[in-house]
Amino acid sequence: MHLDSSDFAAIWLTLQLATLTTLLLLLIGTPIAWWLSRTRSRWKGPIGAVVALPLVLPPTVLGFYLLVAMGPQGPVGQLTQALGLGVLPFTFAGLVVGSVIYSLPFVVQPLQNAFESIGARPLEAAATLRASPRDCFFTVVLPLARPGFITAAILGFAHTVGEFGVVLMIGGNIEGRTRVVSVQIYDHVEALEYAQAHWLAGGMVVFSFVVLLLLYTRRRAAPLW
């Protein structure tokens, strides 16, 4: 085995980051996706575009502006300092914030498609039985949209694991605190430590293949989006 303690620390930190980010994305992305799937507001297009922006924006650009916003002179940084939280760049909390923003469309879009595929008829049927909107959502929408939630969780987790530009800009390269697997691979390559880089990079390839295999298998069994 060619992995050392710093490699295992990076793997553990990456798993923690991806797990927490995925949970937050599901909590934040569900109401956004539900609103986008149901609204006829003129704001649907602009808000949908903002949510999808990380899909086309270079990660370094997004990371740079997040770094500025969360820095000591930025609006978010001034707020966190006023609350006694300090600044978020180069901390694990900063990585979480950046990861949530960067991976948001990978959770919102599958959920939005799942909600839209339900249609109005099940909700109308529940309403005729005097179910409240809240009851309709939790007893009708969520069970029917379960495949979409599974897809969103897998995509959100996998995309967070594979981040590089955003996490490097926001978190830097602090061992045990902000150094994730993608940054650790970069460090090994810079140091010409190709054996260690192969082990980590190969693990990422296998992980990515398994994720795609699960997604394509589920889509063939029951199309989601």
Side-chain angles (χ1 to χ4, degrees), residues 104-185:
L104 187 62
F106 291 86
V107 170
V108 170
Q109 290 188 357
L111 290 179
Q112 182 181 346
N113 290 333
F115 291 150
E116 290 175 346
S117 68
I118 294 174
R121 183 169 297 179
L123 299 178
E124 292 172 353
T128 60
L129 298 175
R130 297 183 180 180
S132 67
R134 179 180 178 182
D135 290 334
C136 288
F137 184 78
F138 284 101
T139 62
V140 178
V141 174
L142 290 187
L144 292 177
R146 181 183 175 186
F149 277 93
I150 295 174
T151 299
I154 293 174
L155 284 177
F157 187 92
H159 191 252
T160 303
V161 169
E163 292 176 13
F164 177 72
V166 171
V167 295
L168 186 61
M169 292 289 288
I170 298 176
N173 190 0
I174 306 173
E175 184 177 351
R177 291 180 57 190
T178 62
R179 185 186 297 172
V180 294
V181 169
S182 58
V183 178
Q184 183 77 355
I185 294 172

Side-chain angles (χ1 to χ4, degrees), residues 63-83:
F64 170 71
Y65 283 112
L66 288 175
L67 182 64
V68 172
M70 295 190 297
Q73 306 302 320
V76 178
Q78 292 180 354
L79 175 61
T80 56
Q81 289 179 95
L83 295 174

Side-chain angles (χ1 to χ4, degrees), residues 1 13 19 21 71 123 157 175 180 193 225:
M1 193 70 170
L13 185 67
T19 301
T21 298
L123 299 178
F157 187 92
E175 184 177 351
V180 294
E193 297 170 349
W225 52 282

Side-chain angles (χ1 to χ4, degrees), residues 198-219:
H198 273 305
W199 278 99
L200 289 176
M204 293 288 285
V205 171
V206 173
F207 172 77
S208 300
F209 174 79
V210 171
V211 167
L212 291 174
L213 182 63
L214 287 173
L215 288 176
Y216 279 103
T217 300
R218 291 193 62 83
R219 288 181 67 185

